[in-house]
Amino acid sequence: MSSPILHFITPPIPYFIDCGRAHYDAGDYHISRNCIGVFDLIIVKKGILPIAENDLQWELKEGQFLILRPDAHHYGFAPCPIETEIIWIHFQTFGSWKECQDMNECLDNQSELIENHKQKAYLNHCDVCSIFIPKHMEISQKAMEVLEFFFQLEQEPQSMRNWKRQASFQQFLQFLDRDLAEASDATAIQLAEKIELFIRQNYTREVTNSLLQKELNYHPNYLAKNMLKIYGVTPMGYLLSYRLEQSKRLLIQTSWSIARIAEEVGFHHITYYSSCFSKKEGISPSNFRRKFTCK
């Protein structure tokens, strides 16, 4: 995959703002704009659109899309050679994001980006994950069908139109995310997601590498290799992190004792739980609770 990748952390999922169509006659230029504050997703329906972002240039052809950054200079570097029609969508995100050159760079920076994300939003007890969107790619037929639905909603009342557009935009992003996965290392992603799902569904049990091998029918070394590639941690590292995240929920949402919370999320010894929690969060479970609850 030669296109750069926009790496978003969610929740919240990047959200839809506005959309429209634009028409260019041969000889017309795309408008020049600087730091517009939103992501600008452009899909060419017909023709060719020469467009640049800072010093990078593309000639978008029919059926291709490009996502322009909210913090860059966008402009037409040459006139459209033929009559051209585009669809544009503006969207933004509250969470952390980063443009990477390839999937390896995305995965190398994933842990750091997630930690930064948690500092920007109240996500002390929330599971987060990555969305990978190609910056420039051919658009699939399924994604295009969702796009057309945006414009069919013009006949809806405003309140219903806004709800449906948000839902459709999320479905559209999901197609882009999946299309990229199919074009990259789909096997590693699928296996890592199976490991992650099994751990989330069984984290209160005695989960071991041997159990994962039995359930998923792969050697522990192969499972660890795929989890490291996609999530940046081994299965056991993910299990520990997930248990700690679930304990945060219980610390904030219940009045249970620290010992009971440790047991509920799969720790057999409160001292080990407290040590792991303090090492990861920088404070003890009891002090974490005091930060977010009234005495």
Side-chain angles (χ1 to χ4, degrees):
M1 185 66 195
S2 59
S3 169
I5 299 170
L6 292 164
H7 182 183
F8 297 92
I9 305 297
T10 179
I13 293 172
Y15 54 89
F16 170 84
I17 296 176
D18 197 10
C19 66
R21 300 179 189 267
H23 177 272
Y24 302 86
D25 290 325
D28 288 346
Y29 283 78
H30 181 72
I31 191 171
S32 176
R33 297 180 297 184
N34 190 47
C35 299
I36 63 174
V38 293
F39 291 93
D40 190 2
L41 190 154
I42 295 174
I43 307 100
V44 175
K45 289 278 290 177
K46 183 178 76 171
I48 299 173
L49 181 68
I51 190 166
E53 179 182 79
N54 296 336
D55 297 327
L56 300 175
Q57 298 178 349
W58 297 264
E59 281 196 343
L60 297 184
K61 297 179 174 60
E62 183 176 329
Q64 295 182 338
F65 74 85
L66 175 70
I67 301 177
L68 300 169
R69 296 167 60 114
D71 56 356
H73 179 208
H74 313 147
Y75 56 97
F77 68 88
C80 294
I82 56 176
E83 185 180 4
T84 300
E85 294 179 4
I86 69 167
I87 293 173
W88 57 266
I89 295 177
H90 289 169
F91 69 96
Q92 188 51 283
T93 182
F94 177 71
S96 293
W97 66 276
K98 182 180 179 66
E99 183 175 330
C100 301
Q101 290 308 303
D102 53 34
M103 185 61 77
N104 287 333
E105 184 182 345
C106 287
L107 299 175
D108 287 344
N109 290 279
Q110 185 167 225
S111 297
E112 180 181 349
L113 199 61
I114 285 174
E115 289 307 310
N116 178 263
H117 183 79
K118 289 185 175 182
Q119 296 301 316
K120 294 174 68 173
Y122 181 71
L123 293 172
N124 291 291
H125 58 291
C126 180
D127 298 329
V128 300
C129 64
S130 293
I131 297 176
F132 302 111
I133 307 295
K135 185 177 182 70
H136 175 224
M137 193 177 181
E138 298 279 343
I139 192 164
S140 69
Q141 183 59 40
K142 288 184 177 180
M144 184 59 78
E145 288 171 1
V146 174
L147 274 184
E148 291 298 338
F149 182 66
F150 276 79
F151 298 97
Q152 297 171 15
L153 293 171
E154 288 299 330
Q155 307 306 315
E156 295 273 1
Q158 185 181 48
S159 58
M160 291 301 299
R161 182 169 69 245
N162 289 341
W163 280 108
K164 290 181 178 180
R165 277 179 169 173
Q166 289 290 347
S168 296
F169 179 67
Q170 292 184 17
Q171 185 181 16
F172 176 70
L173 285 186
Q174 186 177 18
F175 279 127
L176 298 187
D177 182 56
R178 291 296 88 187
D179 289 343
L180 177 61
E182 291 173 4
S184 58
D185 197 341
T187 302
I189 292 172
Q190 290 170 4
L191 182 55
E193 288 181 342
K194 286 182 180 180
I195 300 168
E196 186 265 349
L197 180 60
F198 181 83
I199 289 173
R200 283 197 295 110
Q201 293 177 338
N202 297 276
Y203 71 95
T204 59
R205 295 173 55 190
E206 183 68 26
V207 179
T208 63
N209 284 318
S210 296
L211 178 61
L212 289 174
Q213 180 178 16
K214 179 181 177 182
E215 293 291 334
L216 299 173
N217 201 29
Y218 286 101
H219 192 278
N221 290 346
Y222 185 68
L223 296 176
K225 177 183 176 181
N226 283 276
M227 277 294 283
L228 278 167
K229 182 171 186 178
I230 305 305
Y231 287 97
V233 293
T234 65
M236 293 302 102
Y238 185 87
L239 173 64
L240 176 61
S241 179
Y242 189 77
R243 282 172 169 167
L244 292 174
E245 291 300 312
Q246 298 311 301
S247 76
K248 291 181 187 179
R249 292 186 177 190
L250 297 178
L251 287 167
I252 294 173
Q253 298 174 359
T254 75
S255 57
W256 293 351
S257 69
I258 304 298
R260 180 179 177 183
I261 289 173
E263 184 177 357
E264 288 284 339
V265 299
F267 288 93
H268 296 306
H269 304 287
I270 184 175
T271 52
Y272 179 61
Y273 163 66
S274 296
S275 174
C276 291
F277 191 101
S278 298
K279 184 176 180 180
K280 184 174 187 295
E281 299 299 325
I283 57 175
S284 67
S286 56
N287 285 335
F288 178 87
R289 169 177 272 172
R290 291 190 192 100
K291 274 182 67 176
F292 298 104
T293 58
C294 298
K295 295 181 179 179

